[in-house]
Amino acid sequence: MLISLSHAGMEDMGVSTSRSSLERLEFDNVALKKLPLDPSTEPGVRQVRGACFSRVQPTPLKNPKFVAVSGPALALLGLDADEPAAHCYCGHQFGQFAGQLGDGAACYLGEVKAPVDQSPELLHENPTGRWEIQVKGAGLTPYSRQADGRKVLRSSIREFLCSEAVFALGVPTTRAGSVVTSDSRVMRDIYYDGTPRMERCSVVLRIAPSFIRFGSFEIFKRADEFTGRQGPSYGHDEIRTQMLDYVIETFYPEIHQNHSDRIERNTAFFREVTLRTARLVAQWQCVGFCHGVLNTDNMSILGLTLDYGPFGFMDRFDPDFICNASDTSGRYSYQAQPAICRWNLARLAEALVPDLPPDRAEQVLDEYLPLYNGFYLSNMRKKLGLLRMEEPEDEMLVTELMQTMHNTGTDFTNTFRSLSQISCPTQQEGEDESEVIKQATELLLQQCASLEELKAANRPTMDPRELAMLLSMAQSNPAVFQMISDRKTVARQLERLSRLKELMDTTAEQLRAKQTEDWSCWIKKYRQRLARECESGVDVTDLQKERVHVMNNNNPYVVLRNYIAQNAIEAAENGDLSEVQRVLKVLEKPFSVQEGLEKPGWVGRGGVADSEERDETGEEGNTSGAEARVLVPYDSKPPMWANEICVT
């Protein structure tokens, strides 16, 4: 499968395939040379002690077929490999130590030396000059637990598209070279509701300098005081030190060279991981991206976005946005991400003791929040076009913008994209400030939610009887309440109820008047701040051109909204792979309007899809009674059918 994948991928890029992929590529599998490999080849799921990798044998797919290929990602390497292995790691999942996890569906194929003509920027990002390649969904490993080591078409398409979309947004991430599907099938219960169905097995080719994560160091953890679980390699401290040396020497060579003292070196390493993590989550927040499962096993030691499961880009702005339907407590909500990343850094620090003394780690962790705030505010200034000066009130301007977006239910991506259309004050006599503010307000009102949309968004997600029971229990039996729920979850439900009651007493006209008032107030403050950019004899015309250029290169025109991904998935499941390829082209240039690619080429459920097409089970598609889908542009607010999408 992999050799044919290499030929097809390289031919798509116009590269000669006269030699096989294995002959063309130069492998240098440093990770397997420097870190212990499990000597056992015993098949099946098991605990792996004293090793960082296990040998595995990928299971072939039946009749594999390309869904899509990312030329820019494949250009990083060449392809293919001959030494499959799976990585052992642990992790804190939803706040609890889970013990051994590991690559349950991913196989390390090897490390490919980068082509000699690779750009200096890429080599700065990856100082090793090697790219680790993996296949995800290739079958059982010792870490598959109760699973089968397979991935299905829908999750593979989501990971493939989002990996490349996040890269194009300028956010550090692992990459995806291709996605392949097949005639092999596995049973999946998509919504965990007892109605499983057969789905196509699919494989994603993943690329990164390394897939080592925070949880890689937790395999040495002593017995956890809450769960009683311990890492499978507890007591093998020499391997932990060996892995730490490998990571620093290989991926942080400047730190290794600049520090002869090991404690100073390890502290500098942890400081750099902290900085990269703070910068990464600030970038997520500024494009409205939610990871969905920020467990320690999904946090990259290199500060990359890692493992795309139930991710989501926000549509209507909501600080409490939860993209993972399984996250009932909101632990990994949008606004929680910065604090969760710090919590995960603290778990990494614990895993590095005594190589990293706790007092030194705590000093570094104290730097996290100022670092995050600095990165976030710097990014936001670019998104708002505040280029010439940094003023103390900028933070409040951003805070008030986000509050206004929340109050009015505006679309996150489109609102920021619209701000470049609000011009700098010209200081000319003929300019009517009130008219400018009115026009700008009308522009942003187009992105506001309707009354019905806000009512739907604020309905409690908990059954009223259950909520009443929890409120009673919180008063009468706090100990039991603490075991089955938490005050934060209940408070969120009460807040929704309060907001819903307020909306029920509001008319559409009253809501629009309030939205108009809120936006007019903020735009007036924004224009006052822009006026200060024009002081000191600045040419306003030149400033406005520069400002629009910077803003339109920091505020994407399109992101991978759930409805865009879902439409592409359903097209592929109905045998039309062109929509995945079309979406990939759009996402590769997210800051630009690409002529001819403004709208999808496929839409399901009563839309342009042929009702005679068969679905993946071989049965005829049935669209009766289903809502006909409207062909909306990729930059559109989500259509009504998008509310049905549930990602777990």
Side-chain angles (χ1 to χ4, degrees):
M1 175 190 73
L2 296 172
I3 291 178
S4 66
L5 181 149
S6 176
H7 278 290
M10 299 304 282
E11 285 171 355
D12 284 347
M13 294 184 285
V15 178
S16 169
T17 57
S18 58
R19 293 184 298 151
S20 75
S21 59
L22 293 178
E23 290 173 318
R24 281 197 310 273
L25 293 183
E26 188 176 355
F27 280 83
D28 186 12
N29 299 341
V30 175
L32 297 190
K33 295 174 185 174
K34 293 197 172 184
L35 297 176
L37 182 64
D38 178 15
S40 173
T41 56
E42 176 189 348
V45 177
R46 53 193 164 82
Q47 284 284 301
V48 176
R49 295 176 176 81
C52 299
F53 291 92
S54 297
R55 290 184 180 88
V56 295
Q57 184 60 53
T59 308
L61 295 173
K62 182 181 178 182
N63 191 23
K65 179 181 181 181
F66 272 100
V67 176
V69 173
S70 171
L74 290 183
L76 295 172
L77 21 113
L79 225 53
D80 239 35
D82 61 353
E83 193 171 4
H87 181 40
C88 182
Y89 52 82
C90 292
H92 280 79
Q93 298 191 320
F94 288 87
Q96 300 293 321
F97 186 65
Q100 177 176 294
L101 299 171
D103 283 335
C107 294
Y108 163 103
L109 296 181
E111 296 161 65
V112 176
K113 287 190 175 182
V116 292
D117 59 350
Q118 202 130 107
S119 70
E121 293 80 10
L122 283 174
L123 291 177
H124 175 73
E125 171 193 324
N126 180 12
T128 68
R130 296 185 309 277
W131 294 99
E132 180 180 327
I133 53 178
Q134 287 189 347
V135 283
K136 185 173 181 180
L140 283 169
T141 78
Y143 314 107
S144 296
R145 301 181 290 284
Q146 286 79 39
D148 49 32
R150 290 301 195 189
K151 293 296 176 183
V152 296
L153 185 57
R154 56 188 164 81
S155 62
S156 298
I157 287 175
R158 282 175 59 85
E159 172 149 9
F160 172 79
L161 288 176
C162 202
S163 298
E164 295 305 282
V166 167
F167 172 77
L169 289 170
V171 180
T173 178
T174 59
R175 303 290 301 277
S178 65
V179 57
V180 171
T181 192
S182 70
D183 289 340
S184 301
R185 309 261 181 172
V186 288
M187 185 76 76
R188 291 289 186 268
D189 187 349
I190 303 175
Y191 303 113
Y192 304 103
D193 60 359
T195 56
R197 65 184 176 102
M198 298 299 290
E199 298 193 61
R200 293 184 184 278
C201 295
S202 303
V203 172
V204 176
L205 179 75
R206 306 202 300 180
I207 306 166
S210 175
F211 287 88
I212 291 178
R213 53 205 69 207
F214 290 11
S216 301
F217 289 94
E218 293 188 294
I219 66 173
F220 313 105
K221 178 177 169 57
R222 67 174 66 245
D224 184 77
E225 60 179 309
F226 297 108
T227 65
R229 303 186 186 102
Q230 68 178 31
S233 292
Y234 171 65
H236 290 270
D237 293 348
E238 74 287 352
I239 301 179
R240 182 195 58 238
T241 301
Q242 184 180 350
M243 184 188 293
L244 184 59
D245 289 347
Y246 163 72
V247 168
I248 297 174
E249 292 171 14
T250 307
F251 304 106
Y252 297 93
E254 291 183 1
I255 290 175
H256 177 67
Q257 293 163 8
N258 293 339
H259 296 279
S260 55
D261 181 84
R262 289 184 61 84
I263 296 299
E264 293 300 326
R265 184 203 67 166
N266 296 346
T267 302
F269 157 72
F270 185 62
R271 177 172 282 111
E272 179 64 20
V273 175
T274 298
L275 181 146
R276 293 190 187 194
T277 302
R279 181 171 57 207
L280 176 67
V281 71
Q283 290 175 283
W284 289 348
Q285 301 300 96
C286 287
V287 293
F289 175 78
C290 252
H291 184 284
V293 194
L294 278 178
N295 299 327
T296 56
D297 54 293
N298 293 333
M299 296 284 293
S300 164
I301 205 72
L302 303 180
L304 306 174
T305 311
L306 175 69
D307 285 354
Y308 291 91
F311 66 82
F313 283 90
M314 264 196 299
D315 296 313
R316 176 184 53 82
F317 177 68
D318 179 3
D320 289 323
F321 172 65
I322 300 168
C323 64
N324 178 2
S326 304
D327 184 11
T328 53
S329 70
R331 177 179 176 83
Y332 298 139
S333 68
Y334 169 80
Q335 69 175 349
Q337 289 187 137
I340 284 295
C341 285
R342 187 196 182 282
W343 190 90
N344 288 340
L345 283 163
R347 304 291 77 74
L348 172 62
E350 289 174 357
L352 295 177
V353 175
D355 293 296
L356 177 67
D359 61 324
R360 301 301 296 274
E362 197 59 40
Q363 291 171 9
V364 174
L365 287 170
D366 287 343
E367 301 168 11
Y368 172 82
L369 189 57
L371 280 170
Y372 166 76
N373 286 335
F375 287 128
Y376 178 80
L377 191 54
S378 175
N379 291 341
M380 278 295 177
R381 284 193 176 104
K382 293 174 187 174
K383 291 174 76 69
L384 294 180
L386 307 178
L387 312 178
R388 297 299 173 93
M389 59 184 69
E390 297 180 2
E391 297 199 353
E393 61 263 37
D394 290 349
E395 186 172 355
M396 182 54 67
L397 184 69
V398 172
T399 300
E400 291 177 351
L401 168 61
M402 307 309 279
Q403 188 61 57
T404 303
M405 290 172 64
H406 185 209
N407 292 344
T408 59
T410 45
D411 185 86
F412 184 92
T413 299
N414 291 355
T415 297
F416 275 104
R417 183 73 179 192
S418 299
L419 293 181
S420 65
Q421 298 179 52
I422 302 176
S423 60
C424 288
T426 62
Q427 300 175 335
Q428 295 178 355
E429 290 184 14
E431 183 174 72
D432 185 341
E433 178 68 11
S434 62
E435 182 61 27
V436 172
I437 291 176
K438 180 182 177 183
Q439 291 178 3
T441 300
E442 289 174 352
L443 176 71
L444 295 177
L445 284 173
Q446 296 174 24
Q447 301 303 330
C448 291
S450 68
L451 182 59
E452 291 308 310
E453 286 172 332
L454 287 176
K455 286 179 181 177
N458 284 280
R459 289 194 181 97
T461 56
M462 188 180 292
D463 184 282
R465 291 167 296 182
E466 181 184 355
L467 180 58
M469 180 197 72
L470 288 174
L471 288 170
S472 174
M473 188 178 296
Q475 296 293 324
S476 61
N477 199 333
V480 175
F481 169 78
Q482 205 65 31
M483 292 173 61
I484 62 174
S485 187
D486 62 88
R487 294 186 182 278
K488 183 179 176 183
T489 300
V490 172
R492 188 182 298 115
Q493 297 296 318
L494 291 174
E495 187 179 334
R496 281 174 171 267
L497 270 175
S498 175
R499 176 67 171 143
L500 181 60
K501 183 178 185 303
E502 182 183 322
L503 289 167
M504 296 299 287
D505 295 333
T506 302
T507 65
E509 292 75 19
Q510 289 171 331
L511 175 65
R512 183 47 56 110
K514 183 66 169 63
Q515 291 172 333
T516 301
E517 179 186 354
D518 286 351
W519 274 118
S520 297
C521 180
W522 185 83
I523 291 168
K524 183 177 181 180
K525 293 178 182 178
Y526 181 43
R527 293 262 297 171
Q528 290 170 348
R529 175 62 179 85
L530 289 176
R532 293 197 289 279
E533 293 278 301
C534 304
E535 294 172 356
S536 306
V538 173
D539 186 303
V540 177
T541 302
D542 289 344
L543 175 62
Q544 180 67 7
K545 286 181 180 177
E546 180 189 5
R547 178 175 162 269
V548 170
H549 175 75
V550 170
M551 292 178 74
N552 285 349
N553 280 282
N554 282 275
N555 294 315
Y557 165 75
V558 63
V559 294
L560 184 60
R561 298 172 187 263
N562 266 341
Y563 81 85
I564 296 175
Q566 185 63 24
N567 194 51
I569 288 165
E570 292 186 15
E573 289 179 338
N574 279 277
D576 185 346
L577 305 179
S578 65
E579 183 61 20
V580 177
Q581 297 156 8
R582 185 182 183 91
V583 170
L584 177 62
K585 284 183 180 179
V586 172
L587 296 174
E588 285 177 339
K589 296 180 180 179
F591 300 102
S592 306
V593 180
Q594 300 181 63
E595 190 173 348
L597 290 175
E598 298 89 353
K599 291 184 177 181
W602 191 96
V603 64
R605 281 199 276 183
V608 300
D610 186 343
S611 63
E612 292 300 315
E613 287 181 341
R614 296 175 179 271
D615 66 17
E616 61 177 3
T617 62
E619 299 173 356
E620 290 187 1
N622 179 12
T623 60
S624 61
E627 175 197 349
R629 291 195 176 175
V630 180
L631 199 71
V632 297
Y634 291 121
D635 69 330
S636 173
K637 292 166 61 178
M640 288 302 294
W641 61 263
N643 294 329
E644 303 168 15
I645 299 171
C646 177
V647 184
T648 58

